[in-house]
């Protein structure tokens, strides 16, 4: 099996417009995770729903986990999602109130990279 990678949904710090292969896949996944749904003009479903902020933290985690898996399946068919976790904010999540998805992905065996 091809080795995988952890990708986080934090803000994009730079974009490599010439990326190819596995680097392009990782960049596309990060773009999906960093985009708020409703902000892409011709595709309002692209990105992750950020309107989970008013839910209790455990419910928000479960909804965000499902949202990440669904959107990655929809928009990045070159990968398989193996696990969705969350970045440790350094203190209690309930105190911090921040959920940043951390996704473990592997390329699909039949993907053209």
């Amino acid at each position: 099996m091809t080795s995988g990678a952890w990708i986080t949904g934090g803000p994009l710090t730079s974009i490599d417009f010439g990326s190819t292969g596995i680097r392009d896949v990782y960049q596309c996944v990060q773009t999906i995770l960093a985009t708020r749904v409703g902000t892409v003009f011709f595709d309002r479903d692209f990105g992750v729903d950020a309107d989970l902020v008013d839910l209790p933290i455990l419910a928000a985690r479960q909804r965000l986990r499902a949202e990440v898996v669904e959107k990655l399946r929809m928009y990045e068919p070159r990968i398989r999602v193996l696990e969705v976790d969350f970045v440790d904010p350094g203190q209690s999540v309930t105190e911090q109130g921040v959920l940043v998805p951390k996704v473990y992905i592997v390329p699909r065996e039949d993907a053209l990279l």
Side-chain angles (χ1 to χ4, degrees):
M1 172 178 263
T2 308
S3 63
W6 282 104
I7 306 291
T8 59
L12 291 173
T13 55
S14 66
I15 298 174
D16 177 7
F17 290 103
S19 68
T20 59
I22 197 67
R23 291 180 60 96
D24 181 56
V25 171
Y26 293 158
Q27 182 170 279
C28 289
V29 169
Q30 189 176 14
T31 300
I32 295 164
L33 296 177
T35 302
R36 186 176 181 155
V37 77
T39 60
V40 176
F41 184 65
F42 285 111
D43 191 351
R44 297 292 184 189
D45 288 333
F46 185 87
V48 177
D49 187 1
D51 291 336
L52 307 172
V53 294
D54 291 330
L55 294 175
I57 196 73
L58 295 178
R61 284 176 83 118
Q62 293 305 317
R63 293 268 312 272
L64 185 55
R65 183 175 280 125
E67 175 83 2
V68 165
V69 170
E70 175 187 344
K71 294 303 175 85
L72 290 179
R73 281 184 183 156
M74 183 182 305
Y75 288 104
E76 189 45 84
R78 298 176 290 179
I79 58 132
R80 285 187 309 127
V81 176
L82 296 183
E83 183 179 348
V84 177
D85 200 1
F86 296 92
V87 174
D88 182 4
Q91 59 185 359
S92 168
V93 173
T94 54
E95 293 174 20
Q96 181 81 9
V98 175
L99 289 176
V100 177
K102 184 170 108 174
V103 184
Y104 191 73
I105 62 169
V106 293
R108 289 192 177 276
E109 306 248 341
D110 59 346
L112 296 175
L113 303 176

